[in-house]
């Protein structure tokens, strides 16, 4: 197998974060080969990048499927590109969008930030909302009415369910195969379960059965989509939110999302990355 860097993105300093694979070559392999490599790596996503003019052509694969955009793998890719080409901004050409990623070396870690694709949101259909509540074993009384259930987008489609307490979030569990079938049928990449710690601080868990992974410890694409949704509903975000994810998995991860004033505009998602390669 072609060498794949293993990099944890959105780390808490030198610990935690979400592991991603990063493959960089002169030209991308065909889709079946990339899918096979991603399955062999076994992380929630592997990013594949090859030069395209002054930019980079990028595709993302989970162990089970291709995804249109992955935030943590983009942060990991930036760390790998900076390791090869120095601290600068990189333009990335995705399947359906053009984004950029930048950052700097900061001790033993690399700080990185990406500009997401445009965001949008819509109310979650009642039947899908009820199916998701049943999947995770929650009741409608567990939902926080200040952040209604929604279908959110920031490069990929996600559902968000806001819960009333951290304790409710901690007991998240679901049947994997049933969850995969439901997410695939609904066209969801992940389901984000969130709870409010403060107006600008959220605890989050992300179910990723559609990609062959029970849970992601850090999910930049969903963070961008969620930040865009908060803007859409007039949440008092003050221009930025912080997300703590992965604590219940023993992989504490930290994500910052900066929110501009223009509805639908991209979200700046940032964090640190650490190399896991021996």
């Amino acid at each position: 197998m072609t060498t794949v860097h293993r990099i944890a993105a959105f780390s808490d300093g030198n610990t935690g974060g979400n592991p991603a694979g990063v493959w960089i070559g002169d030209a991308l392999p065909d889709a079946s080969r990339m899918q096979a490599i991603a399955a062999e790596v076994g992380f929630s996503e592997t990013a594949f990048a090859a030069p395209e003019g002054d930019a980079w052509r990028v595709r993302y694969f989970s162990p089970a499927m291709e995804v249109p955009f992955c935030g943590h793998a983009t942060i990991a890719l930036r760390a790998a590109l900076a390791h090869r080409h120095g601290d600068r901004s990189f333009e990335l050409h995705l399947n359906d969008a053009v984004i950029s990623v930048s950052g700097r070396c900061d001790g033993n870690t690399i700080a990185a930030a990406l500009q997401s694709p445009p965001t949008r949101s819509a109310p979650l259909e009642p039947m899908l909302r009820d199916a998701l509540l049943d999947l995770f074993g929650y009741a409608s009384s567990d939902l926080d009415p200040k952040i209604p259930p929604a279908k959110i987008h920031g490069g990929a489609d996600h559902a968000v369910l806001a819960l009333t307490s951290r304790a409710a979030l901690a007991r998240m569990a679901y049947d994997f195969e049933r969850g995969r079938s439901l997410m695939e049928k609904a066209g969801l990449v992940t389901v984000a379960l969130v709870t409010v710690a403060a107006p600008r601080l959220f605890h989050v868990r992300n179910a990723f059965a559609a990609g062959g992974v029970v849970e992601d410890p850090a999910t930049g694409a969903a963070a961008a989509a969620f930040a865009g949704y908060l803007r859409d509903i007039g949440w008092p975000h003050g221009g930025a939110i912080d997300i703590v994810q992965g604590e219940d998995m023993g992989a504490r991860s930290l994500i910052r999302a900066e929110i501009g004033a223009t509805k639908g505009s991209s979200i700046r998602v940032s964090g640190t990355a650490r190399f896991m390669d021996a």
Side-chain angles (χ1 to χ4, degrees):
M1 184 175 69
T2 302
T3 299
V4 176
H5 292 293
R6 288 159 170 80
I7 301 170
F10 300 119
S11 61
D12 183 5
N14 290 311
T15 63
N18 191 3
V22 176
W23 184 103
I24 300 173
D26 293 332
L28 294 183
D30 62 35
S32 62
R33 180 61 181 148
M34 288 188 282
Q35 184 67 76
I37 292 171
E40 187 172 346
V41 171
F43 292 156
S44 57
E45 270 99 6
T46 295
F48 296 83
E52 186 172 82
D54 294 330
W56 292 83
R57 177 70 173 100
V58 180
R59 294 175 71 175
Y60 307 93
F61 285 80
S62 77
M65 68 177 187
E66 183 174 9
V67 296
F69 172 58
C70 174
H72 87 276
T74 300
I75 295 293
L77 173 60
R78 196 276 163 193
L81 290 174
H83 184 69
R84 289 185 174 208
H85 302 287
D87 282 352
R88 61 183 180 87
S89 179
F90 299 94
E91 182 178 294
L92 309 181
H93 294 179
L94 313 185
N95 286 355
D96 303 311
V98 175
I99 66 170
S100 63
V101 63
S102 60
R104 68 184 188 283
C105 292
D106 185 10
N108 293 326
T109 61
I110 294 176
L114 63 87
Q115 288 294 146
S116 78
T119 65
R120 62 178 182 267
S121 64
L124 200 62
E125 300 91 337
M127 287 184 61
L128 179 55
R129 176 202 62 206
D130 293 346
L132 289 172
L133 287 174
D134 186 63
L135 173 68
F136 293 106
Y138 293 121
S140 58
S141 58
D142 289 310
L143 294 175
D144 185 341
K146 297 187 298 296
I147 304 177
K151 190 170 188 178
I152 58 177
H153 183 93
D157 286 336
H158 311 264
V160 60
L161 299 176
L163 304 175
T164 55
S165 71
R166 181 68 180 85
L169 183 68
R171 70 173 191 265
M172 184 198 91
Y174 68 100
D175 179 89
F176 179 77
E177 289 303 330
R178 184 178 163 209
R180 174 162 31 196
S181 176
L182 179 56
M183 291 180 210
E184 288 178 349
K185 183 178 180 181
L188 301 174
V189 175
T190 77
V191 177
L193 303 175
V194 310
T195 189
V196 181
R200 300 178 66 183
L201 177 63
F202 299 83
H203 290 272
V204 177
R205 300 183 73 173
N206 271 85
F208 187 34
V213 177
V214 173
E215 181 179 358
D216 248 352
T219 319
F226 179 58
Y229 176 49
L230 292 178
R231 175 174 56 199
D232 290 347
I233 63 173
W235 186 265
H237 54 73
I241 61 169
D242 291 299
I243 290 172
V244 180
Q245 194 176 328
E247 281 188 323
D248 298 280
M249 302 175 66
R252 178 179 163 89
S253 305
L254 305 177
I255 304 171
R256 170 161 269 251
E258 297 173 47
I259 307 167
T262 304
K263 185 175 181 179
S265 63
S266 72
I267 301 294
R268 180 178 172 86
V269 177
S270 61
T272 61
R274 61 182 181 87
F275 281 85
M276 303 168 66
D277 298 334

